[in-house]
């Protein structure tokens, strides 16, 4: 065997992040490898939401907009999140969803590049990114979408017609991670603006957005903000005076409580907020950021690389006869914090695996995804998951008919 269970247990004992696991709620008997889809709840999340309801909402009622800092949550939370993506204060606004944040970033980019009518989008990207760009191009009229697949063909797609390029740093299917610096430079040399989607990067490792023009991402995956927790948008300081998103709501107004008839954008990142923040969701997100403020991102990355590498080695060794194909890059530098394998019967295989306590997920057409959230996944979990996957394949548990019918959310 590539590594023994005892060696994995020893790695856990020596893990500098080992105590962080205790800060999360994880059901017994579950190996949760879906932190790349919905992170686990911080232990303090429930109390944080309760405090918001009982003390802030219940105790201060509408006054809490002032006394509990509700109005500024998008900016104060943005400043807390900023270091995780290599940004500074006043550069990140939190709120709305990733899809809405893409509307903000792309529409602002288009206004910064008048005369350029092409948006380059990534066919390998999470579909909502492409759908949103499609809707925007249609609504604005006169725009063309130029599709590339990842960074393949990007150089050929760039020209003086391209206003902006929207790519994901980490591919949601394969976990492949782009080397962002040369891509950003290539796009900017063509006079276009670079927008990175960081949904599968933020919280997986130290991101560096400092060269990007815009970035967006969600907070409910590796960042553990909770289901539906608000997204973020980053705007480079060099664009903040000029950039204007098309969503012009009252919270982005220079004087929201003057109730003027016309829109005047607020200074700075505030103009990238739209309207009333989802206060309850900010409570659980901020509970998670309390943990992030204490962890060393270099240790997070080192553990992520070790976990995913061990899992790949074990699965390839134990499952060699059963037709699994590694879809993630073998070079850990080129991976996010996720490992994907292809299997023609991927859906029932994943259902059988979940039945045995190993939670991964499935993405069409044939992808088994395993997320390694380093804050709470142990080396022994990676070991056990590989062994149980091998059992499911060897004994063909997945052929049990009840694993075949598709649930709404896969
Ligand atoms: C998860 C994810 C989204 C989710 O978008 P929502 O608007 O939050 O539903 C968008 N883009 C990418 C790349 C994702 O991974």
């Amino acid at each position: 065997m590539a590594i023994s269970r005892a060696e994995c247990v020893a790695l856990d004992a020596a893990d500098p992040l080992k105590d962080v696991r205790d800060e999360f709620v994880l059901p017994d008997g579950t190996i949760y490898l879906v932190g790349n889809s919905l992170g686990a709840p911080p232990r303090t999340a429930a109390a944080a939401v309760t405090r918001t309801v009982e003390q802030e909402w219940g105790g201060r009622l509408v006054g809490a907009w002032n006394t509990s800092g509700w109005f500024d949550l998008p900016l104060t939370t943005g400043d807390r999140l900023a270091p995780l993506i290599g940004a500074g204060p006043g550069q990140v606004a939190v709120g709305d969803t990733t899809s809405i944040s893409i509307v903000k970033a792309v529409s602002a980019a288009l206004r910064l590049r008048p005369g350029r009518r092409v948006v380059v989008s990534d066919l390998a990207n999470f579909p909502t990114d492409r759908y949103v760009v499609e809707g925007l191009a249609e609504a604005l009229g006169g725009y063309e979408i130029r599709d590339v697949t990842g960074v393949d063909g990007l150089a050929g797609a760039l020209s003086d017609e391209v206003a902006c390029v929207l790519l994901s740093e980490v591919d949601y299917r394969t976990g492949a991670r782009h080397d962002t610096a040369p891509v950003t430079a290539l796009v900017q040399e063509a006079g276009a603006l670079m927008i990175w989607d960081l949904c599968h990067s933020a919280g997986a490792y130290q991101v560096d957005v400092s060269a990007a023009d815009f970035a967006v991402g969600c907070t409910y995956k590796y960042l553990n903000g909770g289901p539906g927790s608000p997204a973020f948008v980053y705007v480079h300081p060099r664009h903040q005076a000029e950039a204007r998103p098309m969503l012009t709501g009252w919270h982005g107004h220079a004087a929201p409580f003057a109730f003027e008839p016309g829109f005047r954008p607020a200074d700075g990142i505030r103009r990238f907020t739209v309207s009333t923040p989802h206060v309850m969701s900010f409570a659980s997100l901020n509970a998670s950021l309390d943990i992030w403020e204490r962890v060393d991102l270099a240790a997070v990355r080192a553990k992520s690389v070790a976990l995913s590498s061990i899992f790949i080695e074990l699965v390839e060794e134990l499952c060699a006869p059963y037709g699994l194909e590694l879809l993630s890059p073998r070079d850990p530098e080129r991976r996010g914090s996720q490992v994907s394998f292809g299997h023609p019967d991927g859906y029932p295989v994943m259902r059988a695996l979940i039945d045995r306590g190993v939670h991964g997920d499935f993405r069409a057409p044939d992808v088994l995804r395993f997320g390694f959230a380093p804050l709470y996944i142990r080396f022994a979990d990676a070991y056990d998951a590989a062994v149980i996957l091998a059992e499911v394949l060897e004994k063909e548990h997945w052929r049990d008919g009840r694993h075949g019918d598709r649930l709404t959310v896969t």
Side-chain angles (χ1 to χ4, degrees):
M1 293 276 278
I3 188 168
S4 69
R5 192 170 197 287
E7 284 170 303
C8 286
V9 170
L11 285 174
D12 285 323
D15 172 13
L17 295 171
K18 67 173 187 286
D19 295 333
V20 182
R21 178 181 166 89
D22 297 334
E23 303 200 35
F24 290 90
V25 181
L26 290 156
D28 288 338
T30 297
I31 297 178
Y32 189 67
L33 304 181
V34 208
N36 55 332
S37 180
L38 177 65
R43 239 171 236 297
T44 54
V49 173
T50 302
R51 190 170 56 244
T52 302
V53 174
E54 291 184 355
Q55 293 174 26
E56 299 182 2
W57 185 15
R60 300 168 196 161
L61 296 166
V62 73
W65 283 104
N66 286 314
T67 58
S68 298
W70 287 355
F71 186 77
D72 288 325
L73 277 172
L75 305 193
T76 53
T77 310
D79 284 351
R80 296 190 76 194
L81 191 148
L84 297 169
I85 60 167
Q91 297 173 10
V92 178
V94 175
D96 308 304
T97 64
T98 306
S99 303
I100 306 253
S101 302
I102 292 170
V103 173
K104 297 178 194 176
V106 173
S107 62
L110 294 178
R111 287 181 72 145
L112 288 171
R113 288 292 180 270
R116 292 180 172 233
R117 313 297 288 181
V118 175
V119 179
V120 172
S121 168
D122 176 3
L123 284 177
N125 212 337
F126 193 81
T128 198
D129 296 42
R130 175 64 163 71
Y131 301 161
V132 165
V133 170
E134 225 175 282
L136 250 177
E138 238 175 80
L140 296 173
Y143 285 93
E144 179 201 326
I145 302 174
R146 196 167 288 169
D147 288 310
V148 292
T149 301
V151 292
D152 296 343
L154 178 61
L158 292 171
S159 70
D160 60 7
E161 301 163 309
V162 175
C164 61
V165 175
L166 170 64
L167 299 176
S168 273
E169 183 177 11
V170 174
D171 183 301
Y172 78 104
R173 276 205 187 92
T174 63
R177 175 191 180 198
H178 295 309
D179 189 2
T180 54
V183 177
T184 300
L186 182 72
V187 167
Q188 291 171 344
E189 276 157 26
L193 298 170
M194 184 68 224
I195 307 168
W196 284 108
D197 185 324
L198 305 175
C199 279
H200 286 272
S201 328
Y205 49 83
Q206 175 71 66
V207 175
D208 180 7
V209 283
S210 59
D213 297 290
F214 297 90
V216 300
C218 62
T219 62
Y220 51 74
K221 292 174 181 162
Y222 293 102
L223 290 177
N224 313 308
S229 63
F232 62 87
V233 57
Y234 159 84
V235 182
H236 194 285
R238 70 174 162 266
H239 297 309
Q240 288 201 4
E242 298 297 321
R244 292 188 58 174
M246 71 182 285
L247 298 175
T248 47
W250 68 303
H251 282 224
H253 194 284
F257 289 91
F259 295 105
E260 296 170 6
F263 184 79
R264 280 191 298 127
D267 283 341
I269 194 72
R270 188 185 287 281
R271 69 177 63 170
F272 279 77
T273 67
V274 180
S275 50
T276 309
H278 301 93
V279 172
M280 239 64 87
S281 289
F282 274 90
S284 52
L285 172 57
N286 273 297
S288 177
L289 292 173
D290 291 341
I291 300 174
W292 282 108
E293 267 172 5
R294 295 193 300 268
V295 302
D296 169 13
L297 286 166
V300 168
R301 178 61 176 165
K303 186 177 175 190
S304 155
V305 165
L307 280 168
S308 55
S309 301
I310 286 172
F311 184 70
I312 290 172
E313 276 184 58
L314 284 168
V315 169
E316 290 199 319
E317 186 174 330
L318 297 171
C319 305
Y322 312 117
L324 278 182
E325 179 200 355
L326 179 66
L327 301 177
S328 301
R330 213 170 275 284
D331 174 4
E333 270 310 299
R334 298 270 59 83
R335 283 201 305 270
S337 200
Q338 161 194 331
V339 175
S340 302
F341 287 96
H343 188 281
D345 294 293
Y347 187 74
V349 168
M350 184 51 78
R351 290 284 301 280
L353 198 56
I354 292 169
D355 215 38
R356 283 160 183 77
V358 179
H359 293 247
D361 68 5
F362 172 80
R363 285 292 175 266
D366 64 350
V367 184
L368 298 157
R369 298 196 309 176
F370 301 92
F372 290 88
L375 297 193
Y376 49 80
I377 298 302
R378 298 167 296 200
F379 290 94
D381 295 329
Y383 182 93
D384 293 342
V387 168
I388 296 169
L389 174 60
E391 255 169 44
V392 163
L393 291 167
E394 187 202 341
K395 306 209 169 105
E396 301 195 348
H397 290 309
W398 56 271
R399 287 198 192 272
D400 182 335
R402 75 201 155 98
H403 296 318
D405 37 302
R406 297 275 169 118
L407 303 174
T408 312
V409 176
T410 62

